[in-house]
Amino acid sequence: MHASTLQVILPVGISFYTFQTLSYSIDIYRGNLKATRDPVAFGAFVSFFPQLVAGPIERATNLLPQITSPRKFTYEQGRDGMRLILWGMFKKVVVADSCAPYVDMCFDNPEAFSGSTLILGAILFSFQIYGDFSGYSDIAIGTAKLFGFELMTNFKFPYFSRDIAEFWRRWHISLSTWFRDYLYIPLGGSRVSKPKAIRNVFVIFLVSGFWHGANWTFIVWGGIHALLFIPLFLRGTNRKNTSDIVAEGRWLPSPRELLQMGWTFTAVTIAWVFFRAKSIPTALLYFQKIAEHITHPGIHRPSIFLVALSLLLCIDWGYRKNSAFFSNTPRLMRHSLYGLIVLLIYACYQTSNTFIYFAF
């Protein structure tokens, strides 16, 4: 065994459906749920195909009653489901897959590129992993709607967060709430002494890193987020942005909000470098090259990024304010947007890029 890698052999299915089944068992043990006596319903819950491979991690309290009760297809569910599938495909094919070649180029050989190119590569990975993972979640939730099921929301525009605590309330919500309910709170949460509460914070972030894989890069990634979260926790501001959204009641953020979002995105992107790098030395080399040599980025043809990321951010910005953003848009504009998204998906479609979270 080498110190640079944990080299732990993980059992098959350790991630999504294992956590889903664990929550079922724990809820029964706690008395929050009665065990189902229907093996078909239980099997359908464990192996519900839309979200089986990459989430969201469902709770039995939400999904099992939907499986055992009659369902009726409605036009509204079908419309919303198809819309989510289309938007998820855009995020995956147009955003994530367009970023992937340049991200791979930067992270596979960081010593060959200028600092500006590597900065752009890190930023593009932030959007790649968001487009890839939230795109899958949208497709899964949309597909479930076509069958009459309502799955939990897994992403709520995390890159519009004003601090790290808000980011984790908006990123991979099904996992972060799982760790909160089944690990953080049983350890005592914040209702213990300060040293123990800080320990609990580190535990959930480090375990979150380990959940992604047996590599020190994931542990460091989790540790960075814990270090960013602790100051908010100690000042009692970690729940400051829970009841509102950025630019509440306004179309544009204030300069203060813009700075807060910029800082949060920068911190998250720095942590993503460790998440994406193959090893700790590679991640450190990545930052070293950024510090050494800042020139004009060496990546050409940025137009696809400008179109894809601009459309992603504009629509997400509208959605963050109103979940019925598409429905409230004039029909001609809405249908034109659908057509543009379909054309972009067709133009960018490639068959070689699997979903990132298929690996976890």
Side-chain angles (χ1 to χ4, degrees):
M1 177 180 291
H2 301 288
S4 60
T5 178
L6 298 180
Q7 292 187 342
V8 176
I9 299 175
L10 299 175
V12 175
I14 189 62
S15 55
F16 292 94
Y17 67 82
T18 299
F19 271 40
Q20 193 158 299
T21 311
L22 274 172
S23 67
Y24 170 81
S25 302
I26 295 170
D27 283 343
I28 291 174
Y29 175 78
R30 291 176 174 176
N32 298 331
L33 180 72
K34 290 185 178 180
T36 180
R37 299 183 180 276
D38 185 344
V40 175
F42 177 75
F45 162 69
V46 173
S47 59
F48 189 60
F49 78 92
Q51 45 80 238
L52 174 64
V53 181
I57 302 169
E58 271 299 333
R59 307 291 179 88
T61 50
N62 176 47
L63 189 53
L64 262 177
Q66 296 185 67
I67 292 173
T68 55
S69 61
R71 293 174 306 282
K72 183 179 180 181
F73 179 82
T74 64
Y75 168 78
E76 289 73 19
Q77 269 193 322
R79 177 200 62 198
D80 293 344
M82 293 298 293
R83 188 178 289 156
L84 275 172
I85 292 170
L86 179 64
W87 187 231
M89 287 292 291
F90 170 82
K91 288 180 178 178
K92 167 58 179 170
V93 176
V94 180
V95 176
D97 288 356
S98 294
C99 293
Y102 301 100
V103 171
D104 294 343
M105 180 179 67
C106 291
F107 280 89
D108 289 346
N109 193 22
E111 62 274 8
F113 300 102
S114 69
S116 298
T117 299
L118 297 180
I119 290 173
L120 181 58
I123 292 172
L124 291 179
F125 178 67
S126 293
F127 284 103
Q128 180 196 1
I129 194 168
Y130 171 63
D132 193 285
F133 193 18
S134 70
Y136 180 95
S137 294
D138 286 347
I139 294 169
I141 295 168
T143 303
K145 282 180 178 292
L146 298 182
F147 291 88
F149 293 93
E150 295 290 337
L151 302 183
M152 72 178 297
T153 301
N154 211 20
F155 290 85
K156 289 184 178 179
F157 326 111
Y159 291 152
F160 298 144
S161 301
R162 290 155 288 182
D163 56 47
I164 290 296
E166 185 181 9
F167 173 82
W168 276 104
R169 284 191 293 272
R170 296 179 177 278
W171 177 276
H172 202 348
I173 299 168
S174 63
L175 180 67
S176 58
T177 54
W178 199 100
F179 282 128
R180 178 198 66 196
D181 295 343
Y182 300 110
L183 184 59
Y184 180 69
I185 292 176
L187 285 172
S190 59
R191 299 186 178 186
V192 291
S193 64
K194 282 291 183 183
K196 289 185 177 180
I198 292 172
R199 176 207 64 188
N200 295 343
V201 170
F202 270 101
V203 166
I204 61 169
F205 278 110
L206 293 178
V207 170
S208 177
F210 187 69
W211 176 85
H212 287 88
N215 192 320
W216 285 112
T217 55
F218 298 123
I219 305 299
V220 171
W221 170 79
I224 290 172
H225 278 278
L227 291 173
L228 293 169
F229 184 89
I230 289 296
L232 299 174
F233 177 77
L234 293 176
R235 294 198 304 265
T237 59
N238 56 299
R239 299 194 62 80
K240 180 180 178 181
N241 300 311
T242 56
S243 60
D244 65 341
I245 58 173
V246 65
E248 182 76 49
R250 293 173 281 115
W251 269 107
L252 295 177
S254 66
R256 177 183 176 82
E257 290 171 329
L258 200 58
L259 286 172
Q260 290 173 330
M261 288 190 293
W263 152 246
T264 304
F265 179 78
T266 300
V268 169
T269 298
I270 290 171
W272 281 136
V273 171
F274 285 94
F275 187 96
R276 176 60 178 78
K278 295 179 180 178
S279 64
I280 300 296
T282 302
L284 295 177
L285 174 62
Y286 200 99
F287 288 116
Q288 178 185 337
K289 294 297 295 183
I290 288 176
E292 284 180 356
H293 190 45
I294 301 291
T295 63
H296 186 273
I299 290 179
H300 305 292
R301 295 188 304 148
S303 56
I304 185 62
F305 300 137
L306 292 176
V307 173
L309 297 184
S310 297
L311 190 57
L312 172 72
L313 291 173
C314 286
I315 293 180
D316 267 5
W317 185 257
Y319 256 132
R320 113 222 172 271
K321 187 177 181 181
N322 185 355
S323 59
F325 173 70
F326 269 117
S327 300
N328 293 338
T329 306
R331 177 176 294 183
L332 179 60
M333 184 183 298
R334 184 168 68 246
H335 289 181
S336 298
L337 186 58
Y338 294 158
L340 175 60
I341 291 174
V342 170
L343 287 175
L344 287 171
I345 292 172
Y346 178 78
C348 298
Y349 180 74
Q350 299 177 15
T351 59
S352 58
N353 293 309
T354 60
F355 286 92
I356 292 174
Y357 267 69
F358 279 10
F360 302 129

